[in-house]
Amino acid sequence: MDKVVSGIRPTGNLHLGNYFGAVKSFVQMQTQYDCMFFIADWHSLTTHPKPEDIRQSARTILAEYLACGLEPERAPIYIQSDVPETLELYLYLNMNMYLGELERVTTFKEKARKQPDNVNAGLLTYPTLMAADILQHRAAYVPVGKDQEQNMEVARKCARRFNHIYGVEFFPEPQNFYFSEKALKVPGLDGSGKMGKSEGNCIYLRDDDKTITKKVMRAVTDSGPTEPNSPKPEVIENLFTFMRIASTDETYRYFDEKWNDCSIRYGDMKKQIAADLCATVAPIRERILEYSSDSARLDRIAAHGAEVARASAAATVQEVRHIIGFK
Ligand code: TRP
């Protein structure tokens, strides 16, 4: 079975956009591939050198992903910093990466611009660490969004270059696995664009019914259709997208007809959306709270993941040492 590895950037709590995007894809992929997922806590040090409590935030993320349906028995989940073997590979890969090519990576340039007082070497070699994350398991596919394309280029370059320098066919070139094309794009509640943490237009999987309802009732609308069967402006299309996500087909059709005959009442529609979103989120939220209340269980799951990941990485690093010439 093809190997798949993906890193999870530890940024804040999951929202519906994450859920119907990356997270659902992971849940599906775990049944079709030999998957491993990890929380990239080392990577976060490149931008947040003094995090509050790394362990606890890793547990929070773990609880949320498990609540969404990742099954650690099938697809181990580990925390990057639990697998020190990665660092040895990171070092070897860095020996063959050049300053110029790392400086050209757009995400590096962006972050360097955002934190001019902390353009650290970790930031520069972020893509090499990511390559080590992937190549240590000799993964065939990596599920990533568009923003990770250049980092994936670097990972393939690392693999190719290593194979070339040492005259081996050791590392497969990891391919991008685009989940974003198939994934549902969840709109924001502010009428435009998609749901995203930085936009502040999110429904979080941790939100309770009251919070969700309040957010939905505040969603942007317009003054209503004046002509039968008119095309829907974006803000309204977005409301219908929420119905597509959370409501039954029947409910969707009911409100679609109301739109078409100009008798739609947005207040009623929002109430319906709120109720249906609450019903979608509630079981996930309950599972998040359940996992979150059991640190020992989360630690056991992470420990199991680390064990599997370390075995896989150690086997790779041992062969790499041999190939390089540590005999
Ligand atoms: N760079 C990825 C992101 O920002 C996170 C990540 C780190 C990753 N290592 C990885 C993703 C390895 C896939 C594979 O989202």
Side-chain angles (χ1 to χ4, degrees), residues 64-104:
E64 296 197 351
Y65 275 82
L66 293 167
C68 291
L70 285 193
E71 298 169 43
E73 294 308 320
R74 222 197 255 272
I77 312 180
Y78 63 96
I79 299 167
Q80 189 182 33
S81 61
D82 281 340
V83 183
E85 286 76 7
T86 314
L87 296 180
E88 187 170 340
L89 185 57
Y90 172 53
L91 179 133
Y92 298 138
L93 297 177
N94 268 330
M95 297 302 170
N96 301 326
M97 286 307 289
Y98 303 109
L99 182 59
E101 58 196 3
L102 289 171
E103 277 174 335
R104 277 197 298 277

Side-chain angles (χ1 to χ4, degrees), residues 192-209:
S192 66
K194 60 175 195 170
M195 191 172 280
K197 199 184 100 191
S198 53
E199 326 307 328
N201 59 15
C202 296
I203 292 174
Y204 292 98
L205 299 180
R206 281 180 184 264
D207 283 348
D208 58 22
D209 287 0

Side-chain angles (χ1 to χ4, degrees), residues 118-152:
N118 183 20
V119 186
N120 59 74
L123 204 55
L124 181 74
T125 56
Y126 182 115
T128 333
L129 180 56
M130 182 162 156
D133 291 330
I134 299 163
L135 299 183
Q136 67 183 347
H137 303 305
R138 285 185 270 175
Y141 295 107
V142 180
V144 286
K146 274 244 168 277
D147 60 327
Q148 297 299 310
E149 261 168 16
Q150 251 187 326
N151 287 338
M152 286 303 299

Side-chain angles (χ1 to χ4, degrees), residues 222-231 233 259-264 266:
D222 64 1
S223 52
T226 48
E227 300 265 328
N229 304 313
S230 18
W259 165 268
N260 283 329
D261 67 16
C262 300
S263 66
I264 194 159
Y266 292 138

Side-chain angles (χ1 to χ4, degrees), residues 33 36 97 107 109 126 140 155 184 191 227 245 248 251 261 290:
Y33 297 92
M36 254 195 249
M97 286 307 289
T107 41
K109 288 193 279 193
Y126 182 115
L184 225 141
E227 300 265 328
I245 287 168
T248 62
T251 305
D261 67 16
E290 215 176 282

